[in-house]
Amino acid sequence: MEIFTEAKSFEANPILGNRLLNRLGLHVIRLIMARLITAFRRWILSWNISSAHRREFRQKGYLRISNVLPPELFKRLQDEGEHCWPEIRAFIQGDTTTRIAFLDQEALKQLPAARMLCESSSIRDLLTYVASTAIRPWPHFLRVCNRGGEVNDDPQKHFHSDTFHPTMKAWLFLEDVTADKGPFQYVEGSHRLTLKRLCWEYRQSIQGRQLNERYAARGSLRIAESELASLDLLHIQTFDVPANTLVIADTSGFHRRGEAAAGSSRLSVYFSSRLNPYIPFPLPDFEPINRFAEKQVAKQVASTTTRATSNE
């Protein structure tokens, strides 16, 4: 039954990782079906998105919007991001420590500026359009800290696709992101399912469980920067952006965390949304669905992190 869900791991599922089935096109069929259904769901949600934003997203795979919030509201949000975190959790990948706090509805009651951000209809419309679902995106405070050490030890600093189907991640940066803070990088247009990308996915799926990189074997495929040109992907966008910039990306496209100076960090409000790609219509903004999804996200954050004692 996982074939018809967001399950992606070649390693964990003997059917998804079956070499013969993927030679016969299992992975490719799942990928094409997911893209078609997502495109239909986005079309349904596109009526309240400007044509300029739709064109930009279709072309690039991301939206970048400057000066998203009014200055007074943004200043209050900065203060909350610096000083008013609820429970802090953390995880370490190579030379990077990520501190994260999930902002559920109870937490947002204590954070008026963050609540106003999450209730902004103009921002939420953009997030749900890219996510292709009308349920609430999942907000977090997020601080990414570089501790030095070996860059290659951080798997997020290699170009990768999060999963085989379109997904949404977004960051409202609460401070200026300079080149030495490990800015988010995105390969422009890599969200599109071209024939060359489809053939590349097919070759990767045949290797499946034998892929050398463990994250790739689990379904988050990696690609070397030198390979991008072979897929006609020629432009890497680096988001060294001023504070109060919102970046929304389809992370089925190739992206990575940029290299950072030791001791640097960046702070943002982070949104994510990843649901079953085979649901034919956008899930509605229905409170029981929102609360169920919120509980699942809280469990996932708790299971992949450890408690942290203080904010950066």
Side-chain angles (χ1 to χ4, degrees):
M1 292 303 296
E2 284 190 356
I3 292 174
F4 304 104
T5 71
E6 68 272 24
K8 64 179 183 177
S9 177
F10 301 115
E11 182 180 78
N13 187 306
I15 294 177
L16 298 182
N18 185 280
R19 192 179 184 90
L20 175 59
L21 290 177
N22 284 324
R23 279 191 179 278
L24 295 173
L26 173 62
H27 176 73
V28 167
I29 290 170
R30 293 183 81 224
L31 191 151
I32 292 173
M33 287 179 59
R35 300 296 177 108
L36 290 173
I37 292 171
T38 299
F40 177 64
R41 296 193 322 212
R42 283 177 177 157
W43 176 76
I44 292 174
L45 295 169
S46 66
W47 62 273
N48 53 357
I49 304 298
S50 72
S51 58
H53 281 144
R54 290 197 301 269
R55 282 194 303 271
E56 180 182 3
F57 177 74
R58 283 197 299 266
Q59 177 186 355
K60 298 179 178 179
Y62 63 82
L63 294 170
R64 177 175 55 189
I65 306 167
S66 302
N67 299 315
V68 170
L69 297 179
E72 182 180 344
L73 174 58
F74 182 70
K75 180 62 170 64
R76 287 190 280 130
L77 182 62
Q78 281 182 309
D79 290 341
E80 291 178 358
E82 287 285 356
H83 307 297
C84 304
W85 288 40
E87 182 186 61
I88 304 169
R89 304 191 72 89
F91 60 94
I92 298 173
Q93 294 178 297
D95 60 346
T96 306
T97 298
T98 301
R99 290 177 170 266
I100 190 167
F102 179 48
L103 305 181
D104 60 15
Q105 293 302 295
E106 289 302 312
L108 288 173
K109 289 178 182 178
Q110 311 301 319
L111 301 166
R115 185 174 68 249
M116 290 180 68
L117 167 66
C118 295
E119 291 175 353
S120 167
S121 59
S122 59
I123 293 174
R124 185 162 171 176
D125 287 346
L126 293 171
L127 296 174
T128 55
Y129 168 73
V130 175
S132 76
T133 180
I135 69 170
R136 276 197 302 263
W138 308 316
H140 311 68
F141 282 140
L142 180 74
R143 184 176 284 281
V144 179
C145 313
N146 190 273
R147 300 301 189 190
E150 293 295 327
V151 171
N152 289 336
D153 288 345
D154 182 354
Q156 305 306 322
K157 291 183 177 178
H158 302 276
F159 278 118
H160 63 281
S161 169
D162 280 355
T163 188
F164 69 95
H165 62 90
T167 58
M168 185 279 291
K169 288 183 178 178
W171 300 261
L172 174 57
F173 295 104
L174 299 183
E175 56 192 21
D176 294 342
V177 180
T178 53
D180 64 344
K181 289 187 176 183
F184 176 65
Q185 295 183 323
Y186 192 91
V187 181
E188 197 167 292
S190 61
H191 67 302
R192 294 196 296 264
L193 190 58
T194 63
L195 179 59
K196 289 186 176 181
R197 173 68 182 271
L198 197 61
C199 291
W200 181 86
E201 291 271 352
Y202 177 72
R203 293 192 298 270
Q204 296 294 306
S205 71
I206 292 173
Q207 296 183 61
R209 286 176 289 179
Q210 281 71 51
L211 286 165
N212 292 330
E213 215 283 344
R214 67 188 180 100
Y215 285 92
R218 295 174 183 176
S220 179
L221 298 178
R222 265 53 185 166
I223 187 169
E225 187 172 346
S226 59
E227 290 184 77
L228 294 173
S230 68
L231 302 185
D232 296 330
L233 299 172
L234 305 176
H235 181 63
I236 298 171
Q237 178 64 53
T238 298
F239 292 95
D240 43 355
V241 296
N244 203 13
T245 298
L246 176 67
V247 174
I248 311 171
D250 178 348
T251 52
S252 66
F254 297 123
H255 59 283
R256 70 180 176 188
R257 180 185 294 147
E259 295 185 15
S264 66
S265 71
R266 52 181 168 89
L267 175 66
S268 64
V269 179
Y270 161 68
F271 295 90
S272 65
S273 181
R274 182 187 299 183
L275 299 171
N276 188 322
Y278 302 114
I279 299 173
F281 297 98
L283 290 178
D285 182 16
F286 186 48
E287 193 57 25
I289 297 177
N290 283 324
R291 291 195 175 276
F292 175 78
E294 188 176 85
K295 289 179 181 179
Q296 302 311 305
V297 175
K299 289 179 182 178
Q300 182 181 18
V301 171
S303 68
T304 57
T305 59
T306 56
R307 290 179 185 272
T309 56
S310 64
N311 194 9
E312 290 295 324

